[in-house]
Amino acid sequence: MGKRKEKVMYTLIKNADWIITMDENRTRVSHGDLIIDSKEILEIGRNLGEKYPDAEILDAAGKIVIPGFVNVHHHTWQSLVRNIHVADGLKLEPWLKVVYEIFKEINTDVAKAGAYAGLGELLKTGCTTSNDLFYAHPAGVEKLIDAEIEAASEIGIRFHPNRGTHSKASEIVPPELVGTTEQVMADAERLILKYHDPERFSMCRVGIAPNMPQYETMDMLMESKKLAEKYHVLIHGHLAESTYETQYTLDTYGCTPARWFEKHGLLGENFYYAHCVHLDDEEVKLLAETGTGVSHCPISNMFLSSGVCRIPDLMAAGAKIGLGVDGAASSNSSNMLQEIRSAYLVNRLAWGDKAVSAEDILYLATAGGARVLGRDDIGFLAPGMAADLAIMDWNQLQYSGGKNDPVDCIVLSGESRLTDTVIVNGEIVVKHGKLTKADENQKKDFVNDVGKAMLKRASKHMEGLERDLEI
């Protein structure tokens, strides 16, 4: 006798008030159903229960179904370095001098704790895929990125970690955080070979993240590029974030940061950069024409008084743009819904009538971010796409009176209480606003203990930090 064929089990998300697909046509389906088959979306429509009578049902009445958010810039370990007085009220470079003293004390527990806090909050605010750029590697401390990859896998988020670097000490970067090109490239190659999965629906893709020219040697930049080309992985970093960076590059190299990157072959389809605040008109076109990705990080840019990314001009030029929460030390949270609302508001403030729409901002947080990460399997809802989605509950008192346009509700009124259910790769990882694969109380205690221990170690060589430890 032949083997008995296993029965296929489908999941039916039933009767959502709205399904916001964010596909090419930005299709919206009212009173819609969505069928999940294992890891992928099988069908979207109405009354699909008749076609799939044995499907497991998730009742979405009173709720909005959207693609899971895609966060394209983060420094998760910074979740343990936030709300501290010694770093308040500073612009980027003075702020960096302060936090780098704390970064000397990073270890694998810090890396793992930061991932639990940062990636956990992202999941709880509807994010299903996240980048991370880990650039602070104290000398002699190994496998920091391994630790955060393990944490990401444990809680169930799709993850794009990047092996960051510092190869040049400066008045900002202490020598304790500098690595040699040989050390960094060997570790990056090890991580790629061990964890990088280029296949469709991959849960982990590794990238390389050399820093901006004032913190990096030419050798490190060029070797990073060679390694990325060898393994067909992306390069991520920071570009044109502050006026200091722009002036430094002009004074030292005789050109702006964007032009310096162009000169050295560091723009193109396989590169994406956070911030991109200080660009002129020609540089906006340059990023679009080269296919270089951009991560808009509004809260961090406001916190550090860096400026506002030219989102309307970049979108009009056809640039690849996504949204990033940036490191929690400069945004003080990893809340994707808060980042979305802030992106809309700061663009209204900065660009007035030119500002992009609420739906454009939602695009940045979903399909736009997927495009920046080079993914064609996430970012919008359609048959054949990954089953990555968030179910938002707008049938609550705080949203009553505002249940008119579902996208406006998410972008303009959304906050963490909106998130009910999050599904990644077909698996429910958030239910009723709580993580399903990890004990939140246990993780909370671990993160707090590890964070306090790190700050206590740093306080021995850092003036003023004791005040934060006494509170």
Side-chain angles (χ1 to χ4, degrees):
M1 289 179 66
K3 286 186 178 180
R4 189 175 180 180
K5 191 174 181 179
E6 290 187 15
K7 188 176 182 180
V8 177
M9 291 298 295
Y10 300 110
T11 300
L12 168 62
I13 299 175
K14 181 180 179 182
N15 197 30
D17 284 7
W18 288 97
I19 298 176
I20 309 299
T21 68
M22 296 312 295
D23 63 9
E24 187 177 5
N25 298 316
R26 300 190 180 179
T27 305
R28 302 182 183 191
V29 181
S30 63
H31 303 292
D33 297 347
L34 184 148
I35 288 285
I36 296 172
D37 178 5
S38 183
K39 300 177 181 180
E40 67 184 288
I41 297 168
L42 187 62
E43 192 171 350
I44 298 172
R46 293 190 179 95
N47 302 315
L48 296 181
E50 299 172 5
K51 189 174 178 180
Y52 302 93
D54 297 325
E56 180 182 352
I57 294 173
L58 284 179
D59 185 5
K63 299 180 177 69
I64 308 165
V65 178
I66 61 172
F69 300 134
V70 180
N71 172 45
V72 295
H73 186 61
H74 208 345
H75 309 295
T76 55
W77 81 92
Q78 291 185 13
S79 298
L80 279 62
V81 189
R82 50 182 168 159
N83 304 324
I84 56 175
H85 292 92
V86 290
D88 283 350
L90 302 175
K91 287 192 175 183
L92 176 63
E93 286 73 24
W95 174 84
L96 285 171
K97 288 182 182 180
V98 171
V99 295
Y100 269 112
E101 283 298 310
I102 301 173
F103 295 167
K104 292 177 183 179
E105 303 300 333
I106 289 171
N107 57 28
T108 52
D109 278 349
V110 171
K112 182 165 280 192
Y116 286 142
L119 299 178
E121 184 176 12
L122 283 168
L123 280 175
K124 285 161 66 71
T125 55
C127 183
T128 53
T129 300
S130 182
N131 152 293
D132 193 62
L133 196 173
F134 209 125
Y135 59 76
H137 292 259
V141 179
E142 298 180 346
K143 297 192 175 180
L144 296 175
I145 294 178
D146 299 69
E148 63 171 357
I149 289 173
E150 290 168 9
S153 176
E154 183 181 347
I155 65 175
I157 195 168
R158 208 177 291 275
F159 197 38
H160 280 239
N162 293 269
R163 206 311 181 172
T165 74
H166 281 309
S167 53
K168 187 163 61 175
S170 68
E171 62 178 10
I172 292 175
V173 179
E176 294 92 337
L177 294 175
V178 171
T180 68
T181 301
E182 293 75 19
Q183 289 170 338
V184 173
M185 291 302 101
D187 192 44
E189 186 167 37
R190 178 189 67 81
L191 289 163
I192 292 167
L193 292 173
K194 184 173 182 178
Y195 296 109
H196 180 68
D197 178 7
E199 299 301 319
R200 190 168 176 80
F201 302 150
S202 163
M203 289 295 289
C204 184
R205 291 188 182 176
V206 176
I208 305 171
N211 225 300
M212 54 190 88
Q214 63 261 45
Y215 307 131
E216 215 69 273
T217 63
M218 231 20 247
D219 185 50
M220 182 72 84
L221 287 163
M222 293 302 102
E223 290 302 314
S224 296
K225 185 180 175 186
K226 284 181 188 177
L227 190 65
E229 290 170 348
K230 178 180 178 180
Y231 290 106
H232 308 288
V233 301
L234 300 185
I235 285 184
H236 179 50
H238 303 82
L239 174 60
E241 180 177 1
S242 70
T243 54
Y244 173 91
E245 176 192 346
T246 300
Q247 194 59 51
Y248 174 93
T249 311
L250 282 167
D251 293 343
T252 308
Y253 306 109
C255 62
T256 63
R259 291 299 180 187
W260 192 92
F261 277 54
E262 177 192 27
K263 178 181 178 182
H264 292 94
L266 297 169
L267 301 179
E269 292 286 345
N270 295 323
F271 300 84
Y272 67 109
Y273 297 106
H275 308 301
C276 299
V277 170
H278 299 281
L279 304 174
D280 63 28
D281 291 347
E282 291 303 312
E283 290 165 352
V284 167
K285 294 177 185 176
L286 176 66
L287 295 189
E289 289 168 358
T290 56
T292 305
V294 174
S295 173
H296 177 33
C297 305
I299 295 179
S300 174
N301 293 158
M302 288 188 285
F303 182 83
L304 297 172
S305 305
S306 297
V308 182
C309 184
R310 296 175 60 177
I311 293 301
D313 296 329
L314 286 161
M315 290 194 76
K320 297 190 299 190
I321 319 170
L323 200 61
V325 299
D326 202 0
S330 63
S331 66
N332 293 291
S333 77
S334 300
N335 186 322
M336 199 67 177
L337 282 162
Q338 190 177 72
E339 204 74 37
I340 288 167
R341 186 167 188 258
S342 297
Y344 177 81
L345 293 174
V346 78
N347 274 268
R348 289 291 303 158
L349 176 65
W351 313 120
D353 291 342
K354 280 179 57 180
V356 298
S357 69
E359 192 170 57
D360 288 331
I361 295 295
L362 187 60
Y363 166 82
L364 298 187
T366 54
R371 189 175 169 220
V372 168
L373 293 182
R375 309 262 330 207
D376 61 4
D377 54 351
I378 62 172
F380 64 92
L381 305 179
M385 296 294 286
D388 287 12
L389 53 90
I391 303 176
M392 300 296 186
D393 181 6
W394 70 341
N395 194 31
Q396 302 180 62
L397 178 61
Q398 58 265 35
Y399 308 114
S400 57
K403 292 179 62 178
N404 299 307
D405 184 276
V407 170
D408 281 5
C409 179
I410 292 165
V411 174
L412 304 184
S413 301
E415 36 78 54
S416 58
R417 291 175 296 175
L418 190 64
T419 309
D420 181 81
T421 302
V422 178
I423 296 173
V424 180
N425 219 33
E427 182 179 14
I428 296 175
V429 294
V430 174
K431 187 172 183 180
H432 304 315
K434 297 290 186 182
L435 300 179
T436 63
K437 293 170 66 68
D439 182 328
E440 289 193 22
N441 285 326
Q442 184 184 62
K443 300 306 182 195
K444 172 200 69 180
D445 292 341
F446 174 71
V447 173
N448 283 330
D449 290 345
V450 170
K452 283 293 184 184
M454 177 178 64
L455 294 179
K456 188 173 182 179
R457 292 194 301 273
S459 71
K460 295 177 182 178
H461 56 80
M462 187 174 177
E463 187 178 351
L465 193 55
E466 297 90 345
R467 179 186 172 194
D468 291 289
L469 291 169
E470 291 168 359
I471 294 173

